[in-house]
Amino acid sequence: MQLASYISKTVNPILGAFKRATPHIDEDGVVVPHTHVRPKRVAARQNQTPTQNDTDALVIPCPDPTAEDRERDFHQMRGQRLARQENWHDISSAIRLADRSLSKTSGGMPVADLISYGARADVVQACEHALLSGKPAKGAPILAGIEALEEVLAECGQDYIIAAIVAHAHMDIAWAWRGTCWDAEVCQRNKEAFQAHFDRARDILEPFQSLTPKPAFLAAAECALRGGCPDGKLKIADAYQQLIDLDPENARAMRAMGNHLLPRWFGDYNQLELEARRTASRTQSTWGAGAYTWVQLDAIAFDDEACARLDVSFFVDGLRDILERTNNQYIVNLMAAYCANTMGNARGGHDEADQVRSQIADCAKWIIREHLTELHPMIWAHAARGFDNSLRVRCPDRFAAAGQADALRIIGNLFRPDIAAGRKVVFTEDGPVTRPA
């Protein structure tokens, strides 16, 4: 699909498709469209505000921004600044260098991905805002932005870096149209817009399919592309395994593969279990049993049956291996919040799944006692929302405050006997210690 055809089929109808939606802002600062159903795990949270005594008795560093936040912002803003300067040569060079060295932030985020997102952020965020609120921000470059990216692509057609950036922009916009709900819940207009954007992304990446050796940045784009292909089920696992072989330290790829292997997307429960075990075997030197945990992490949070089928012992062994190999506070907070909040507050009507969730929630106790030295509220806030990538946080301060309240409540309950005895719990570089109040 060429640019003129794409604009005719997808972009032009956007202006006529806006409806005056009436989103509201939840108590934690998240924008919720009027049709959104509040997740069970959030609704189930009760008595989440820590008492004053708990707050006074807990002393834990809470850096703002965290080291991970600073790293991510630096690389993303670099890509955004260069794009605004139309310096696409430097963007391509920076991404190519980061991709060749497989550079990552301290929390494991690929630097190439961050620069790439920064380069397309203005265009993508303008479209997301318009689709969410029904009213584009003043001066938002919705049409000009996507057309400008296509013009850049026309000028740099032989550069797979630029092609992947533009393809990712189309895929980001496609997911903004579709959302992450079940296919039956998506209206036909949005499905058509979703598919048109993915068709365009596939056309953009097609000339680079046979590129060898395959760069990890391009392999990641091809994995993302499988998520919008009608025949995605046929090749999704192979695509992700290729990416994981190229970059075994990229846990995000494992998490995405596990999610896409759910029946609601392109796999089934047997394939999910098989690929999780295969990935653990192939990356044992990097993660130990940790890859099994990474692959299952989001899948079991979203799907009761996948959760019920989980090999809990293998999963917990993987948790321990991940934390022993990284012991980065971003990862520690991620795992503690996932166990305590994402799984601990996701009780439903599936008895076997609830039993598994209870066992995983108990892991938060030893993670906090053995590994936690500082608090990252934003991670806890996202954990309470099930790490939903479609969230639109309008009030970051309220969102972080909700996450901090959750974390302090959970930690306070863990150390309840010490606090009740009048002692203070102080988190040091070596972990929590109790001291006289």
Side-chain angles (χ1 to χ4, degrees):
M1 187 191 299
Q2 299 301 313
L3 175 59
S5 176
Y6 160 72
I7 292 174
S8 173
K9 182 175 181 179
T10 302
V11 178
N12 285 339
I14 288 178
L15 292 181
F18 290 123
K19 294 184 177 181
R20 288 295 182 262
T22 55
H24 67 275
I25 301 178
D26 255 2
E27 60 187 15
D28 58 356
V30 174
V31 178
V32 183
H34 68 293
T35 58
H36 184 74
V37 178
R38 190 175 177 85
K40 288 182 179 180
R41 64 174 53 88
V42 178
R45 289 155 57 193
Q46 296 177 356
N47 302 321
Q48 60 179 303
T49 304
T51 66
Q52 187 64 39
N53 288 338
D54 284 357
T55 303
D56 294 340
L58 292 173
V59 180
I60 181 169
C62 190
D64 183 23
T66 65
E68 177 71 9
D69 290 336
R70 288 196 299 271
E71 287 186 80
R72 292 191 180 198
D73 288 347
F74 173 81
H75 296 297
Q76 185 172 316
M77 291 173 66
R78 178 187 182 192
Q80 190 174 44
R81 182 180 67 255
L82 290 172
R84 289 174 176 176
Q85 296 170 351
E86 299 185 6
N87 193 344
W88 292 94
H89 177 270
D90 282 1
I91 290 174
S92 178
S93 297
I95 291 176
R96 184 173 282 103
L97 180 62
D99 189 40
R100 285 175 178 171
S101 60
L102 300 178
S103 298
K104 294 179 180 61
T105 64
S106 56
M109 181 73 172
V111 170
D113 290 355
L114 292 168
I115 299 173
S116 170
Y117 182 75
R120 64 186 192 271
D122 286 341
V123 173
V124 172
Q125 290 174 1
C127 289
E128 288 177 338
H129 174 81
L131 289 170
L132 178 69
S133 68
K135 184 177 181 181
K138 186 177 181 180
I142 301 175
L143 300 181
I146 197 66
E147 290 180 23
L149 286 182
E150 290 278 359
E151 290 171 1
V152 171
L153 176 64
E155 296 172 2
C156 309
Q158 302 304 310
D159 188 339
Y160 76 88
I161 299 287
I162 303 301
I165 291 173
V166 180
H168 270 299
H170 279 288
M171 290 186 278
D172 291 341
I173 295 170
W175 283 112
W177 274 100
R178 188 197 181 284
T180 56
C181 53
W182 290 86
D183 189 63
E185 300 172 355
V186 183
C187 71
Q188 187 60 34
R189 183 200 70 202
N190 289 34
K191 287 181 181 179
E192 291 174 357
F194 172 84
Q195 198 57 57
H197 278 290
F198 263 92
D199 288 345
R200 179 59 186 143
R202 184 171 58 253
D203 290 344
I204 291 170
L205 293 177
E206 187 174 11
F208 305 97
Q209 283 184 348
S210 59
L211 184 64
T212 55
K214 181 81 72 175
F217 182 69
L218 181 58
E222 292 176 349
C223 284
L225 183 64
R226 301 308 305 170
C229 294
D231 62 344
K233 183 175 182 178
L234 300 178
K235 300 179 180 179
I236 193 78
D238 290 342
Y240 274 109
Q241 289 294 359
Q242 180 185 43
L243 173 57
I244 292 166
D245 288 345
L246 291 168
D247 188 4
E249 294 184 2
N250 186 356
R252 295 177 70 250
M254 300 179 195
R255 293 178 66 177
M257 179 177 73
N259 181 44
H260 275 142
L261 289 178
L262 288 173
R264 66 179 295 181
W265 295 116
F266 308 110
D268 57 57
Y269 299 120
N270 291 333
Q271 187 181 19
L272 170 62
E273 180 69 17
L274 174 63
E275 295 299 338
R277 291 180 180 275
R278 287 181 59 197
T279 306
S281 177
R282 290 161 59 185
T283 62
Q284 187 173 18
S285 61
T286 302
W287 293 106
Y292 179 84
T293 303
W294 283 125
V295 173
Q296 296 279 10
L297 200 76
D298 293 310
I300 63 173
F302 297 149
D303 191 292
D304 283 347
E305 186 62 29
C307 186
R309 290 167 173 251
L310 183 74
D311 184 335
V312 180
S313 297
F314 201 174
F315 184 91
V316 174
D317 287 343
L319 272 179
R320 292 190 180 277
D321 285 348
I322 290 169
L323 293 172
E324 287 174 2
R325 283 161 171 75
T326 60
N327 203 29
N328 174 275
Q329 284 302 297
Y330 176 87
I331 301 297
V332 173
N333 274 264
L334 172 67
M335 292 307 186
Y338 172 85
C339 292
N341 242 353
T342 306
M343 301 302 283
N345 286 318
R347 299 293 188 270
H350 197 298
D351 292 341
E352 291 84 358
D354 285 346
Q355 185 177 10
V356 170
R357 292 187 181 106
S358 179
Q359 294 177 71
I360 294 175
D362 283 343
C363 293
K365 298 175 183 177
W366 61 260
I367 294 174
I368 292 170
R369 288 185 180 276
E370 297 176 17
H371 296 281
L372 192 68
T373 63
E374 62 183 42
L375 191 63
H376 295 190
M378 290 294 279
I379 295 178
W380 289 80
H382 280 289
R385 289 277 184 172
F387 295 105
D388 182 355
N389 290 330
S390 66
L391 283 184
R392 299 292 174 261
V393 180
R394 182 66 58 83
C395 302
D397 289 344
R398 281 163 57 181
F399 194 59
Q404 186 171 13
D406 274 347
L408 292 177
R409 171 180 54 83
I410 291 166
I411 297 171
N413 287 336
L414 178 59
F415 291 97
R416 179 70 59 197
D418 297 291
I419 295 173
R423 290 189 290 270
K424 179 177 292 188
V425 181
V426 180
F427 282 77
T428 70
E429 292 183 358
D430 297 322
V433 297
T434 58
R435 297 173 181 172

